Amino acid sequence: MNIYLVGFMGTGKSSVGKELAKKKKWQFIDLDELIELQDRRNISDIFAKDGEPYFRKIEKKLLLKVSKEVNFVVACGGGIVLDKDNIKIMKESGMMICLSATADEILKRTAASIHRPLLQVANPEKQIAHLLKMRAPYYAEAEKAIDTTNLSVKEVVNKLLKITAKINPSTLPNYSRKAQD
Ligand code: S3P
């Protein structure tokens, strides 16, 4: 089974995911990076030339591919939860954990980024508030949540290690958590 880190942009999924994978001696994959590699374009270009629905299609296809693997820590893009099928895929093949942060903290952490097309707007503060509100029920689908606002990467990783301690390395693809319980 895999560990899927979901949550809004700037909540630390990639930096935390990388460290968590190192500690657990699991593989790490950043789904956004995988999309860029597969499409040979960066996310901003994909959004600009082909639009968000096209991006979501590749995102879903690659999530499905990764879900066949085992013992992967997967850092997901912030919008992955918008598709019900994606939530089902994650829950069936692993544990979905949500990282969160306050709107102010997200604004601070994402301010310098030019690689997030959804935040390249005149008023990112308003956009963050709007998207957070709209996405709250989707993020609430996660089995566990960690507020990373006042935590270092190391502190979040330690919490995740505790949460995921009971997950044994799996040997079979599509390892079912129910079977383990
Ligand atoms: C998105 C988040 C981004 C990336 C894309 C869309 C979103 O990933 O997938 O720009 O819809 O929230 P990060 O959450 O890793 O920034």
Side-chain angles (χ1 to χ4, degrees):
M1 89 183 254
N2 295 328
I3 295 168
Y4 297 98
L5 298 179
V6 303
F8 204 79
M9 294 170 265
T11 51
K13 293 160 291 179
S14 302
S15 18
V16 163
K18 241 176 249 169
E19 282 311 304
L20 177 67
K22 245 189 236 164
K23 291 269 183 225
K24 287 184 87 72
K25 299 199 167 56
W26 285 21
Q27 303 283 331
F28 170 75
I29 192 119
D30 184 311
L31 215 55
D32 282 343
E33 263 177 37
L34 197 64
I35 293 168
E36 292 185 329
L37 275 174
Q38 158 101 13
D39 215 71
R40 294 174 190 215
R41 286 183 292 174
N42 66 39
I43 289 174
S44 299
D45 282 346
I46 300 176
F47 267 69
K49 302 224 171 69
D50 293 311
E52 188 174 341
Y54 172 81
F55 172 81
R56 298 291 173 210
K57 235 199 298 191
I58 319 177
E59 184 177 52
K60 186 173 187 172
K61 199 170 107 188
L62 291 177
L63 173 67
L64 195 61
K65 207 167 170 184
V66 171
S67 72
K68 313 271 193 253
E69 304 290 337
V70 290
N71 303 338
F72 266 70
V73 175
V74 188
C76 300
I80 200 144
V81 291
L82 300 173
D83 186 318
K84 277 204 161 60
D85 292 344
N86 289 348
I87 294 185
K88 189 165 182 273
I89 292 169
M90 289 189 270
K91 288 190 173 175
E92 282 180 0
S93 61
M95 189 173 195
M96 178 179 158
I97 303 173
C98 183
L99 302 187
S100 69
T102 60
D104 280 354
E105 183 66 19
I106 288 170
L107 185 64
K108 250 191 263 164
R109 290 185 193 171
T110 57
S113 160
I114 49 157
H115 301 297
R116 292 183 168 106
L118 292 180
L119 299 183
Q120 301 304 306
V121 293
N123 189 341
E125 193 175 353
K126 205 168 152 195
Q127 172 81 327
I128 289 169
H130 163 72
L131 288 176
L132 275 176
K133 196 170 170 202
M134 198 267 275
R135 292 180 176 184
Y138 299 92
Y139 292 134
E141 287 278 343
E143 290 158 70
K144 299 274 180 198
I146 299 175
D147 183 352
T148 70
T149 308
N150 297 307
L151 300 179
S152 65
V153 169
K154 204 172 162 191
E155 286 168 328
V156 181
V157 169
N158 284 339
K159 280 184 185 281
L160 283 166
L161 285 171
K162 277 189 198 139
I163 291 173
T164 62
K166 280 194 192 141
I167 305 176
N168 295 317
S170 27
T171 50
L172 292 171
N174 289 327
Y175 184 76
S176 152
R177 207 170 51 257
K178 280 202 191 92
Q180 192 193 18
D181 286 341

